Amino acid sequence: MCHLTVVGQSKAEARAILHRLKGKGIENLLALGGDPPQGMADWQPHEDGFQHAIELVREAVAVGGFSVGVAGFPEVHPRAESRPSDMKFLKEKVEAGAAVVITQLFFDNDDYYRFVEDLRKLGVRAPIVPGVLPILSAPQVRRFTALCGAKIPARLERELAKVEHDDEAAIEMGIEYATRQCAELIKFGISGLHFYSLNKSYSVKAICKNLGL
Ligand SMILES: Cc1cc2nc3c(=O)[nH]c(=O)nc-3n(C[C@H](O)[C@H](O)[C@H](O)COP(=O)(O)OP(=O)(O)OC[C@H]3O[C@@H](n4cnc5c(N)ncnc54)[C@H](O)[C@@H]3O)c2cc1C
């Protein structure tokens, strides 16, 4: 699945990419706002670019031939005005043609369950695929959660404190934590799992093996 963001490119560039993807037979697309480019503290729209991911969804639908996914934030997007407004904009992305929502990482499944429940109440029927981060190190989790607005629950904080300076132990702890998290999610009833593998397959393979997948 190609991740395409609106940040740092004009509308014409985004359109050209969509046409090239279609020409190459790419069918699955995750339409995203995008993180600020490295070194930039804040998100600035391109002066002739799209402002929000929904515009990219609409553009992809207009080009045609894509199954489009969008991002959802169980703990609310950091730049959102409020939880209700964030959920309203997500609903609009689905109504604009997104077939699936993939969530930002979270470490407390209750946040995901509440998110799904509230979206269903709003009439969102698309699958809401949970995003799971297999922890690779304590500093990494602190950096990621600060960036994306997810919280570190107290029980995870206690586990992290034990592996603060030991990345190998952090990876093993991360595999155990994510395995438990995924097992509960599967019991709840999900249509898939999204792993933030960060191009490292070791933990994801171990988690899938633990889960018998
Ligand atoms: C599964 C997943 C994969 C990701 N992969 C990448 C990646 O590969 N590369 C990368 O750079 N980033 C990636 N991200 C991060 C993502 O790009 C950022 O979190 C980004 O800040 C938000 O993206 P979005 O698609 O939700 O943006 P948007 O939908 O544009 O939302 C951004 C903010 O604007 C608000 N908003 C939305 N629509 C409107 C509107 N019409 N009017 C006013 N406000 C509005 C929302 O409430 C939210 O606060 C990923 C995130 C997820 C969940």
PDB file of all heavy atoms in Angstrom, residues 3 5 7 30-35 43 51-54 71-73 77-81 85-86 89 92-93 102-105 194 196, ligand 1:
ATOM      1  N   HIS A   3       1.810   4.967   0.693  1.00  0.00           N
ATOM      2  CA  HIS A   3       1.419   6.078   1.577  1.00  0.00           C
ATOM      3  C   HIS A   3       1.685   7.376   0.829  1.00  0.00           C
ATOM      4  O   HIS A   3       2.821   7.664   0.476  1.00  0.00           O
ATOM      5  CB  HIS A   3       2.251   6.080   2.861  1.00  0.00           C
ATOM      6  CG  HIS A   3       1.974   4.926   3.764  1.00  0.00           C
ATOM      7  ND1 HIS A   3       2.249   4.958   5.112  1.00  0.00           N
ATOM      8  CD2 HIS A   3       1.424   3.714   3.522  1.00  0.00           C
ATOM      9  CE1 HIS A   3       1.886   3.806   5.656  1.00  0.00           C
ATOM     10  NE2 HIS A   3       1.401   3.034   4.712  1.00  0.00           N
ATOM     11  N   THR A   5       1.166  11.590   0.921  1.00  0.00           N
ATOM     12  CA  THR A   5       0.816  12.693   1.817  1.00  0.00           C
ATOM     13  C   THR A   5       0.605  13.990   1.023  1.00  0.00           C
ATOM     14  O   THR A   5       1.105  14.116  -0.094  1.00  0.00           O
ATOM     15  CB  THR A   5       1.928  12.930   2.864  1.00  0.00           C
ATOM     16  OG1 THR A   5       3.069  13.472   2.217  1.00  0.00           O
ATOM     17  CG2 THR A   5       2.299  11.655   3.585  1.00  0.00           C
ATOM     18  N   VAL A   7       1.543  16.929   2.325  1.00  0.00           N
ATOM     19  CA  VAL A   7       2.535  17.902   2.782  1.00  0.00           C
ATOM     20  C   VAL A   7       3.680  18.046   1.774  1.00  0.00           C
ATOM     21  O   VAL A   7       4.108  17.066   1.157  1.00  0.00           O
ATOM     22  CB  VAL A   7       3.058  17.504   4.195  1.00  0.00           C
ATOM     23  CG1 VAL A   7       3.990  16.318   4.134  1.00  0.00           C
ATOM     24  CG2 VAL A   7       3.726  18.661   4.901  1.00  0.00           C
ATOM     25  N   LEU A  30      -2.866   4.865   0.828  1.00  0.00           N
ATOM     26  CA  LEU A  30      -3.214   5.483   2.111  1.00  0.00           C
ATOM     27  C   LEU A  30      -3.052   6.987   1.918  1.00  0.00           C
ATOM     28  O   LEU A  30      -1.940   7.467   1.679  1.00  0.00           O
ATOM     29  CB  LEU A  30      -2.300   4.947   3.216  1.00  0.00           C
ATOM     30  CG  LEU A  30      -2.699   5.270   4.657  1.00  0.00           C
ATOM     31  CD1 LEU A  30      -4.087   4.717   4.991  1.00  0.00           C
ATOM     32  CD2 LEU A  30      -1.681   4.703   5.650  1.00  0.00           C
ATOM     33  N   ALA A  31      -4.169   7.704   1.984  1.00  0.00           N
ATOM     34  CA  ALA A  31      -4.167   9.153   1.726  1.00  0.00           C
ATOM     35  C   ALA A  31      -4.013   9.881   3.057  1.00  0.00           C
ATOM     36  O   ALA A  31      -4.875   9.793   3.932  1.00  0.00           O
ATOM     37  CB  ALA A  31      -5.463   9.559   1.034  1.00  0.00           C
ATOM     38  N   LEU A  32      -2.909  10.627   3.183  1.00  0.00           N
ATOM     39  CA  LEU A  32      -2.527  11.191   4.488  1.00  0.00           C
ATOM     40  C   LEU A  32      -2.233  12.682   4.421  1.00  0.00           C
ATOM     41  O   LEU A  32      -1.817  13.191   3.377  1.00  0.00           O
ATOM     42  CB  LEU A  32      -1.243  10.505   4.970  1.00  0.00           C
ATOM     43  CG  LEU A  32      -1.319   9.023   5.273  1.00  0.00           C
ATOM     44  CD1 LEU A  32       0.059   8.401   5.144  1.00  0.00           C
ATOM     45  CD2 LEU A  32      -1.893   8.796   6.655  1.00  0.00           C
ATOM     46  N   GLY A  33      -2.403  13.321   5.579  1.00  0.00           N
ATOM     47  CA  GLY A  33      -1.961  14.706   5.706  1.00  0.00           C
ATOM     48  C   GLY A  33      -0.445  14.767   5.648  1.00  0.00           C
ATOM     49  O   GLY A  33       0.144  15.599   4.968  1.00  0.00           O
ATOM     50  N   GLY A  34       0.206  13.902   6.383  1.00  0.00           N
ATOM     51  CA  GLY A  34       1.673  13.860   6.408  1.00  0.00           C
ATOM     52  C   GLY A  34       2.247  14.528   7.640  1.00  0.00           C
ATOM     53  O   GLY A  34       1.688  15.497   8.157  1.00  0.00           O
ATOM     54  N   ASP A  35       3.347  13.989   8.098  1.00  0.00           N
ATOM     55  CA  ASP A  35       4.089  14.598   9.207  1.00  0.00           C
ATOM     56  C   ASP A  35       4.904  15.760   8.659  1.00  0.00           C
ATOM     57  O   ASP A  35       5.239  15.779   7.481  1.00  0.00           O
ATOM     58  CB  ASP A  35       5.045  13.558   9.826  1.00  0.00           C
ATOM     59  CG  ASP A  35       4.290  12.542  10.661  1.00  0.00           C
ATOM     60  OD1 ASP A  35       3.297  12.931  11.295  1.00  0.00           O
ATOM     61  OD2 ASP A  35       4.699  11.366  10.685  1.00  0.00           O
ATOM     62  N   TRP A  43       3.711  21.842  10.906  1.00  0.00           N
ATOM     63  CA  TRP A  43       3.182  21.432   9.608  1.00  0.00           C
ATOM     64  C   TRP A  43       2.743  22.658   8.832  1.00  0.00           C
ATOM     65  O   TRP A  43       1.924  23.447   9.304  1.00  0.00           O
ATOM     66  CB  TRP A  43       1.976  20.522   9.863  1.00  0.00           C
ATOM     67  CG  TRP A  43       1.549  19.715   8.687  1.00  0.00           C
ATOM     68  CD1 TRP A  43       1.941  18.439   8.394  1.00  0.00           C
ATOM     69  CD2 TRP A  43       0.645  20.115   7.652  1.00  0.00           C
ATOM     70  NE1 TRP A  43       1.334  18.023   7.230  1.00  0.00           N
ATOM     71  CE2 TRP A  43       0.538  19.037   6.754  1.00  0.00           C
ATOM     72  CE3 TRP A  43      -0.071  21.276   7.375  1.00  0.00           C
ATOM     73  CZ2 TRP A  43      -0.250  19.060   5.627  1.00  0.00           C
ATOM     74  CZ3 TRP A  43      -0.862  21.313   6.228  1.00  0.00           C
ATOM     75  CH2 TRP A  43      -0.952  20.212   5.371  1.00  0.00           C
ATOM     76  N   GLN A  51      -4.764  21.066   1.656  1.00  0.00           N
ATOM     77  CA  GLN A  51      -4.619  21.388   3.088  1.00  0.00           C
ATOM     78  C   GLN A  51      -4.819  20.136   3.950  1.00  0.00           C
ATOM     79  O   GLN A  51      -4.233  20.009   5.011  1.00  0.00           O
ATOM     80  CB  GLN A  51      -5.693  22.395   3.517  1.00  0.00           C
ATOM     81  CG  GLN A  51      -5.746  23.656   2.675  1.00  0.00           C
ATOM     82  CD  GLN A  51      -4.700  24.652   3.103  1.00  0.00           C
ATOM     83  OE1 GLN A  51      -4.477  24.837   4.283  1.00  0.00           O
ATOM     84  NE2 GLN A  51      -4.048  25.283   2.147  1.00  0.00           N
ATOM     85  N   HIS A  52      -5.712  19.269   3.478  1.00  0.00           N
ATOM     86  CA  HIS A  52      -6.098  18.119   4.306  1.00  0.00           C
ATOM     87  C   HIS A  52      -6.177  16.842   3.473  1.00  0.00           C
ATOM     88  O   HIS A  52      -6.369  16.906   2.253  1.00  0.00           O
ATOM     89  CB  HIS A  52      -7.458  18.379   4.973  1.00  0.00           C
ATOM     90  CG  HIS A  52      -7.426  19.526   5.932  1.00  0.00           C
ATOM     91  ND1 HIS A  52      -6.784  19.455   7.142  1.00  0.00           N
ATOM     92  CD2 HIS A  52      -7.925  20.783   5.845  1.00  0.00           C
ATOM     93  CE1 HIS A  52      -6.896  20.609   7.769  1.00  0.00           C
ATOM     94  NE2 HIS A  52      -7.579  21.433   7.013  1.00  0.00           N
ATOM     95  N   ALA A  53      -6.072  15.722   4.183  1.00  0.00           N
ATOM     96  CA  ALA A  53      -6.061  14.424   3.497  1.00  0.00           C
ATOM     97  C   ALA A  53      -7.337  14.206   2.678  1.00  0.00           C
ATOM     98  O   ALA A  53      -7.301  13.543   1.639  1.00  0.00           O
ATOM     99  CB  ALA A  53      -5.890  13.297   4.522  1.00  0.00           C
ATOM    100  N   ILE A  54      -8.455  14.774   3.126  1.00  0.00           N
ATOM    101  CA  ILE A  54      -9.726  14.535   2.408  1.00  0.00           C
ATOM    102  C   ILE A  54      -9.631  14.982   0.948  1.00  0.00           C
ATOM    103  O   ILE A  54     -10.226  14.356   0.060  1.00  0.00           O
ATOM    104  CB  ILE A  54     -10.919  15.223   3.129  1.00  0.00           C
ATOM    105  CG1 ILE A  54     -12.244  14.782   2.488  1.00  0.00           C
ATOM    106  CG2 ILE A  54     -10.780  16.735   3.136  1.00  0.00           C
ATOM    107  CD1 ILE A  54     -13.472  15.133   3.284  1.00  0.00           C
ATOM    108  N   ALA A  71      -6.201   7.815   7.714  1.00  0.00           N
ATOM    109  CA  ALA A  71      -5.732   7.698   9.101  1.00  0.00           C
ATOM    110  C   ALA A  71      -6.825   8.113  10.078  1.00  0.00           C
ATOM    111  O   ALA A  71      -7.602   9.028   9.810  1.00  0.00           O
ATOM    112  CB  ALA A  71      -4.507   8.597   9.301  1.00  0.00           C
ATOM    113  N   GLY A  72      -6.868   7.429  11.233  1.00  0.00           N
ATOM    114  CA  GLY A  72      -7.790   7.786  12.315  1.00  0.00           C
ATOM    115  C   GLY A  72      -7.022   7.821  13.629  1.00  0.00           C
ATOM    116  O   GLY A  72      -6.027   7.102  13.787  1.00  0.00           O
ATOM    117  N   PHE A  73      -7.483   8.620  14.570  1.00  0.00           N
ATOM    118  CA  PHE A  73      -6.720   8.879  15.796  1.00  0.00           C
ATOM    119  C   PHE A  73      -7.544   8.572  17.044  1.00  0.00           C
ATOM    120  O   PHE A  73      -8.298   9.431  17.522  1.00  0.00           O
ATOM    121  CB  PHE A  73      -6.218  10.339  15.796  1.00  0.00           C
ATOM    122  CG  PHE A  73      -5.188  10.576  14.747  1.00  0.00           C
ATOM    123  CD1 PHE A  73      -5.549  10.687  13.403  1.00  0.00           C
ATOM    124  CD2 PHE A  73      -3.842  10.603  15.070  1.00  0.00           C
ATOM    125  CE1 PHE A  73      -4.594  10.849  12.410  1.00  0.00           C
ATOM    126  CE2 PHE A  73      -2.871  10.757  14.090  1.00  0.00           C
ATOM    127  CZ  PHE A  73      -3.253  10.890  12.759  1.00  0.00           C
ATOM    128  N   HIS A  77      -6.170  13.547  17.027  1.00  0.00           N
ATOM    129  CA  HIS A  77      -5.001  14.095  16.342  1.00  0.00           C
ATOM    130  C   HIS A  77      -4.494  15.340  17.088  1.00  0.00           C
ATOM    131  O   HIS A  77      -5.292  16.167  17.534  1.00  0.00           O
ATOM    132  CB  HIS A  77      -5.392  14.464  14.895  1.00  0.00           C
ATOM    133  CG  HIS A  77      -4.234  14.946  14.091  1.00  0.00           C
ATOM    134  ND1 HIS A  77      -3.954  16.284  13.918  1.00  0.00           N
ATOM    135  CD2 HIS A  77      -3.264  14.264  13.443  1.00  0.00           C
ATOM    136  CE1 HIS A  77      -2.863  16.401  13.169  1.00  0.00           C
ATOM    137  NE2 HIS A  77      -2.436  15.195  12.862  1.00  0.00           N
ATOM    138  N   PRO A  78      -3.162  15.470  17.223  1.00  0.00           N
ATOM    139  CA  PRO A  78      -2.627  16.578  18.036  1.00  0.00           C
ATOM    140  C   PRO A  78      -3.040  17.981  17.568  1.00  0.00           C
ATOM    141  O   PRO A  78      -3.100  18.891  18.374  1.00  0.00           O
ATOM    142  CB  PRO A  78      -1.102  16.411  17.935  1.00  0.00           C
ATOM    143  CG  PRO A  78      -0.841  15.147  17.222  1.00  0.00           C
ATOM    144  CD  PRO A  78      -2.122  14.580  16.708  1.00  0.00           C
ATOM    145  N   ARG A  79      -3.303  18.141  16.263  1.00  0.00           N
ATOM    146  CA  ARG A  79      -3.692  19.487  15.800  1.00  0.00           C
ATOM    147  C   ARG A  79      -5.208  19.678  15.760  1.00  0.00           C
ATOM    148  O   ARG A  79      -5.690  20.734  15.348  1.00  0.00           O
ATOM    149  CB  ARG A  79      -3.131  19.763  14.389  1.00  0.00           C
ATOM    150  CG  ARG A  79      -1.636  19.981  14.327  1.00  0.00           C
ATOM    151  CD  ARG A  79      -1.209  20.660  13.001  1.00  0.00           C
ATOM    152  NE  ARG A  79      -1.789  20.056  11.812  1.00  0.00           N
ATOM    153  CZ  ARG A  79      -1.271  19.002  11.184  1.00  0.00           C
ATOM    154  NH1 ARG A  79      -0.185  18.434  11.625  1.00  0.00           N
ATOM    155  NH2 ARG A  79      -1.856  18.513  10.109  1.00  0.00           N
ATOM    156  N   ALA A  80      -5.958  18.669  16.176  1.00  0.00           N
ATOM    157  CA  ALA A  80      -7.433  18.762  16.083  1.00  0.00           C
ATOM    158  C   ALA A  80      -7.969  19.796  17.065  1.00  0.00           C
ATOM    159  O   ALA A  80      -7.431  19.959  18.159  1.00  0.00           O
ATOM    160  CB  ALA A  80      -8.061  17.400  16.362  1.00  0.00           C
ATOM    161  N   GLU A  81      -9.047  20.451  16.650  1.00  0.00           N
ATOM    162  CA  GLU A  81      -9.708  21.423  17.542  1.00  0.00           C
ATOM    163  C   GLU A  81     -10.301  20.722  18.744  1.00  0.00           C
ATOM    164  O   GLU A  81     -10.269  21.211  19.856  1.00  0.00           O
ATOM    165  CB  GLU A  81     -10.870  22.054  16.773  1.00  0.00           C
ATOM    166  CG  GLU A  81     -10.619  23.462  16.327  1.00  0.00           C
ATOM    167  CD  GLU A  81     -11.761  23.959  15.470  1.00  0.00           C
ATOM    168  OE1 GLU A  81     -12.933  23.760  15.855  1.00  0.00           O
ATOM    169  OE2 GLU A  81     -11.456  24.521  14.408  1.00  0.00           O
ATOM    170  N   SER A  85     -14.689  17.248  16.534  1.00  0.00           N
ATOM    171  CA  SER A  85     -14.374  17.769  15.194  1.00  0.00           C
ATOM    172  C   SER A  85     -13.456  16.787  14.462  1.00  0.00           C
ATOM    173  O   SER A  85     -13.610  16.544  13.264  1.00  0.00           O
ATOM    174  CB  SER A  85     -13.751  19.161  15.268  1.00  0.00           C
ATOM    175  OG  SER A  85     -12.368  19.089  15.542  1.00  0.00           O
ATOM    176  N   ASP A  86     -12.521  16.176  15.181  1.00  0.00           N
ATOM    177  CA  ASP A  86     -11.610  15.209  14.567  1.00  0.00           C
ATOM    178  C   ASP A  86     -12.406  14.022  14.002  1.00  0.00           C
ATOM    179  O   ASP A  86     -12.139  13.555  12.886  1.00  0.00           O
ATOM    180  CB  ASP A  86     -10.620  14.724  15.637  1.00  0.00           C
ATOM    181  CG  ASP A  86      -9.306  14.243  15.051  1.00  0.00           C
ATOM    182  OD1 ASP A  86      -8.944  14.703  13.950  1.00  0.00           O
ATOM    183  OD2 ASP A  86      -8.644  13.414  15.692  1.00  0.00           O
ATOM    184  N   PHE A  89     -14.377  15.048  10.853  1.00  0.00           N
ATOM    185  CA  PHE A  89     -13.547  15.104   9.640  1.00  0.00           C
ATOM    186  C   PHE A  89     -13.184  13.695   9.163  1.00  0.00           C
ATOM    187  O   PHE A  89     -13.078  13.448   7.967  1.00  0.00           O
ATOM    188  CB  PHE A  89     -12.284  15.939   9.879  1.00  0.00           C
ATOM    189  CG  PHE A  89     -12.561  17.413  10.018  1.00  0.00           C
ATOM    190  CD1 PHE A  89     -12.026  18.145  11.067  1.00  0.00           C
ATOM    191  CD2 PHE A  89     -13.364  18.072   9.098  1.00  0.00           C
ATOM    192  CE1 PHE A  89     -12.281  19.505  11.192  1.00  0.00           C
ATOM    193  CE2 PHE A  89     -13.632  19.434   9.206  1.00  0.00           C
ATOM    194  CZ  PHE A  89     -13.090  20.153  10.264  1.00  0.00           C
ATOM    195  N   GLU A  92     -16.064  12.386   7.307  1.00  0.00           N
ATOM    196  CA  GLU A  92     -16.129  13.003   5.965  1.00  0.00           C
ATOM    197  C   GLU A  92     -15.136  12.336   5.001  1.00  0.00           C
ATOM    198  O   GLU A  92     -15.419  12.187   3.823  1.00  0.00           O
ATOM    199  CB  GLU A  92     -15.848  14.512   6.059  1.00  0.00           C
ATOM    200  CG  GLU A  92     -17.025  15.263   6.658  1.00  0.00           C
ATOM    201  CD  GLU A  92     -16.766  16.753   6.860  1.00  0.00           C
ATOM    202  OE1 GLU A  92     -15.695  17.249   6.438  1.00  0.00           O
ATOM    203  OE2 GLU A  92     -17.634  17.410   7.459  1.00  0.00           O
ATOM    204  N   LYS A  93     -13.965  11.927   5.547  1.00  0.00           N
ATOM    205  CA  LYS A  93     -12.986  11.255   4.673  1.00  0.00           C
ATOM    206  C   LYS A  93     -13.571   9.930   4.165  1.00  0.00           C
ATOM    207  O   LYS A  93     -13.377   9.560   3.008  1.00  0.00           O
ATOM    208  CB  LYS A  93     -11.668  10.990   5.428  1.00  0.00           C
ATOM    209  CG  LYS A  93     -10.817  12.235   5.635  1.00  0.00           C
ATOM    210  CD  LYS A  93      -9.376  11.926   6.069  1.00  0.00           C
ATOM    211  CE  LYS A  93      -9.231  11.525   7.503  1.00  0.00           C
ATOM    212  NZ  LYS A  93      -7.836  11.523   7.990  1.00  0.00           N
ATOM    213  N   ILE A 102      -7.199   3.277   9.079  1.00  0.00           N
ATOM    214  CA  ILE A 102      -6.122   2.637   9.853  1.00  0.00           C
ATOM    215  C   ILE A 102      -5.751   3.603  10.966  1.00  0.00           C
ATOM    216  O   ILE A 102      -5.583   4.807  10.724  1.00  0.00           O
ATOM    217  CB  ILE A 102      -4.891   2.321   8.976  1.00  0.00           C
ATOM    218  CG1 ILE A 102      -5.305   1.495   7.753  1.00  0.00           C
ATOM    219  CG2 ILE A 102      -3.837   1.574   9.791  1.00  0.00           C
ATOM    220  CD1 ILE A 102      -4.153   1.119   6.824  1.00  0.00           C
ATOM    221  N   THR A 103      -5.631   3.086  12.185  1.00  0.00           N
ATOM    222  CA  THR A 103      -5.448   4.016  13.304  1.00  0.00           C
ATOM    223  C   THR A 103      -3.984   4.335  13.591  1.00  0.00           C
ATOM    224  O   THR A 103      -3.081   3.555  13.272  1.00  0.00           O
ATOM    225  CB  THR A 103      -6.068   3.498  14.625  1.00  0.00           C
ATOM    226  OG1 THR A 103      -5.174   2.563  15.234  1.00  0.00           O
ATOM    227  CG2 THR A 103      -7.440   2.906  14.428  1.00  0.00           C
ATOM    228  N   GLN A 104      -3.817   5.472  14.242  1.00  0.00           N
ATOM    229  CA  GLN A 104      -2.532   5.820  14.826  1.00  0.00           C
ATOM    230  C   GLN A 104      -2.237   4.793  15.926  1.00  0.00           C
ATOM    231  O   GLN A 104      -3.152   4.150  16.454  1.00  0.00           O
ATOM    232  CB  GLN A 104      -2.625   7.234  15.418  1.00  0.00           C
ATOM    233  CG  GLN A 104      -1.340   7.793  15.975  1.00  0.00           C
ATOM    234  CD  GLN A 104      -0.204   7.769  14.974  1.00  0.00           C
ATOM    235  OE1 GLN A 104       0.407   6.717  14.785  1.00  0.00           O
ATOM    236  NE2 GLN A 104       0.094   8.882  14.354  1.00  0.00           N
ATOM    237  N   LEU A 105      -0.964   4.661  16.291  1.00  0.00           N
ATOM    238  CA  LEU A 105      -0.608   3.707  17.353  1.00  0.00           C
ATOM    239  C   LEU A 105      -1.247   4.121  18.678  1.00  0.00           C
ATOM    240  O   LEU A 105      -1.519   5.312  18.903  1.00  0.00           O
ATOM    241  CB  LEU A 105       0.909   3.649  17.488  1.00  0.00           C
ATOM    242  CG  LEU A 105       1.619   4.942  17.902  1.00  0.00           C
ATOM    243  CD1 LEU A 105       1.818   4.995  19.419  1.00  0.00           C
ATOM    244  CD2 LEU A 105       2.964   5.053  17.201  1.00  0.00           C
ATOM    245  N   HIS A 194      -2.599  -3.511  11.640  1.00  0.00           N
ATOM    246  CA  HIS A 194      -1.555  -2.747  10.953  1.00  0.00           C
ATOM    247  C   HIS A 194      -0.380  -2.628  11.907  1.00  0.00           C
ATOM    248  O   HIS A 194      -0.536  -2.123  13.023  1.00  0.00           O
ATOM    249  CB  HIS A 194      -2.080  -1.354  10.591  1.00  0.00           C
ATOM    250  CG  HIS A 194      -1.047  -0.443  10.016  1.00  0.00           C
ATOM    251  ND1 HIS A 194      -0.716  -0.444   8.681  1.00  0.00           N
ATOM    252  CD2 HIS A 194      -0.255   0.493  10.590  1.00  0.00           C
ATOM    253  CE1 HIS A 194       0.223   0.466   8.461  1.00  0.00           C
ATOM    254  NE2 HIS A 194       0.537   1.043   9.603  1.00  0.00           N
ATOM    255  N   TYR A 196       3.246  -0.999  12.804  1.00  0.00           N
ATOM    256  CA  TYR A 196       4.266   0.013  12.502  1.00  0.00           C
ATOM    257  C   TYR A 196       5.608  -0.689  12.638  1.00  0.00           C
ATOM    258  O   TYR A 196       6.241  -0.660  13.686  1.00  0.00           O
ATOM    259  CB  TYR A 196       4.147   1.203  13.457  1.00  0.00           C
ATOM    260  CG  TYR A 196       2.896   2.023  13.207  1.00  0.00           C
ATOM    261  CD1 TYR A 196       1.735   1.791  13.928  1.00  0.00           C
ATOM    262  CD2 TYR A 196       2.888   2.990  12.211  1.00  0.00           C
ATOM    263  CE1 TYR A 196       0.584   2.523  13.670  1.00  0.00           C
ATOM    264  CE2 TYR A 196       1.747   3.717  11.939  1.00  0.00           C
ATOM    265  CZ  TYR A 196       0.601   3.478  12.675  1.00  0.00           C
ATOM    266  OH  TYR A 196      -0.533   4.197  12.405  1.00  0.00           O
TER     267      TYR A 196
HETATM  268  C1  LIG B   1      -1.707   4.383   9.629  1.00  0.00           C
HETATM  269  C2  LIG B   1      -0.915   5.652   9.515  1.00  0.00           C
HETATM  270  C3  LIG B   1       0.147   5.712   8.629  1.00  0.00           C
HETATM  271  C4  LIG B   1       0.885   6.882   8.505  1.00  0.00           C
HETATM  272  N1  LIG B   1       1.911   6.927   7.598  1.00  0.00           N
HETATM  273  C5  LIG B   1       2.568   8.076   7.402  1.00  0.00           C
HETATM  274  C6  LIG B   1       3.566   8.194   6.404  1.00  0.00           C
HETATM  275  O1  LIG B   1       3.867   7.223   5.708  1.00  0.00           O
HETATM  276  N2  LIG B   1       4.172   9.392   6.223  1.00  0.00           N
HETATM  277  C7  LIG B   1       3.855  10.497   6.962  1.00  0.00           C
HETATM  278  O2  LIG B   1       4.400  11.590   6.757  1.00  0.00           O
HETATM  279  N3  LIG B   1       2.917  10.428   7.930  1.00  0.00           N
HETATM  280  C8  LIG B   1       2.259   9.257   8.164  1.00  0.00           C
HETATM  281  N4  LIG B   1       1.294   9.193   9.131  1.00  0.00           N
HETATM  282  C9  LIG B   1       1.075  10.351  10.015  1.00  0.00           C
HETATM  283  C10 LIG B   1       0.046  11.355   9.457  1.00  0.00           C
HETATM  284  O3  LIG B   1       0.409  11.801   8.189  1.00  0.00           O
HETATM  285  C11 LIG B   1       0.015  12.527  10.433  1.00  0.00           C
HETATM  286  O4  LIG B   1      -0.407  12.097  11.699  1.00  0.00           O
HETATM  287  C12 LIG B   1      -0.792  13.731   9.991  1.00  0.00           C
HETATM  288  O5  LIG B   1      -0.512  14.807  10.893  1.00  0.00           O
HETATM  289  C13 LIG B   1      -2.294  13.531  10.014  1.00  0.00           C
HETATM  290  O6  LIG B   1      -2.697  12.882   8.908  1.00  0.00           O
HETATM  291  P1  LIG B   1      -4.249  12.746   8.484  1.00  0.00           P
HETATM  292  O7  LIG B   1      -4.229  11.953   7.237  1.00  0.00           O
HETATM  293  O8  LIG B   1      -5.083  12.323   9.608  1.00  0.00           O
HETATM  294  O9  LIG B   1      -4.562  14.302   8.132  1.00  0.00           O
HETATM  295  P2  LIG B   1      -5.924  15.069   8.000  1.00  0.00           P
HETATM  296  O10 LIG B   1      -7.077  14.187   7.746  1.00  0.00           O
HETATM  297  O11 LIG B   1      -5.661  16.166   7.023  1.00  0.00           O
HETATM  298  O12 LIG B   1      -6.105  15.694   9.473  1.00  0.00           O
HETATM  299  C14 LIG B   1      -5.102  16.516  10.034  1.00  0.00           C
HETATM  300  C15 LIG B   1      -5.758  17.473  11.034  1.00  0.00           C
HETATM  301  O13 LIG B   1      -6.642  18.374  10.372  1.00  0.00           O
HETATM  302  C16 LIG B   1      -7.977  18.248  10.854  1.00  0.00           C
HETATM  303  N5  LIG B   1      -8.845  18.253   9.669  1.00  0.00           N
HETATM  304  C17 LIG B   1      -9.088  17.242   8.810  1.00  0.00           C
HETATM  305  N6  LIG B   1      -9.903  17.642   7.828  1.00  0.00           N
HETATM  306  C18 LIG B   1     -10.175  18.947   8.060  1.00  0.00           C
HETATM  307  C19 LIG B   1     -10.954  19.928   7.390  1.00  0.00           C
HETATM  308  N7  LIG B   1     -11.619  19.625   6.268  1.00  0.00           N
HETATM  309  N8  LIG B   1     -11.001  21.185   7.910  1.00  0.00           N
HETATM  310  C20 LIG B   1     -10.337  21.499   9.053  1.00  0.00           C
HETATM  311  N9  LIG B   1      -9.583  20.596   9.741  1.00  0.00           N
HETATM  312  C21 LIG B   1      -9.499  19.345   9.237  1.00  0.00           C
HETATM  313  C22 LIG B   1      -8.032  16.942  11.605  1.00  0.00           C
HETATM  314  O14 LIG B   1      -8.979  17.001  12.677  1.00  0.00           O
HETATM  315  C23 LIG B   1      -6.596  16.800  12.110  1.00  0.00           C
HETATM  316  O15 LIG B   1      -6.425  17.526  13.293  1.00  0.00           O
HETATM  317  C24 LIG B   1       0.550   8.028   9.301  1.00  0.00           C
HETATM  318  C25 LIG B   1      -0.508   7.948  10.218  1.00  0.00           C
HETATM  319  C26 LIG B   1      -1.251   6.789  10.324  1.00  0.00           C
HETATM  320  C27 LIG B   1      -2.386   6.735  11.308  1.00  0.00           C
END
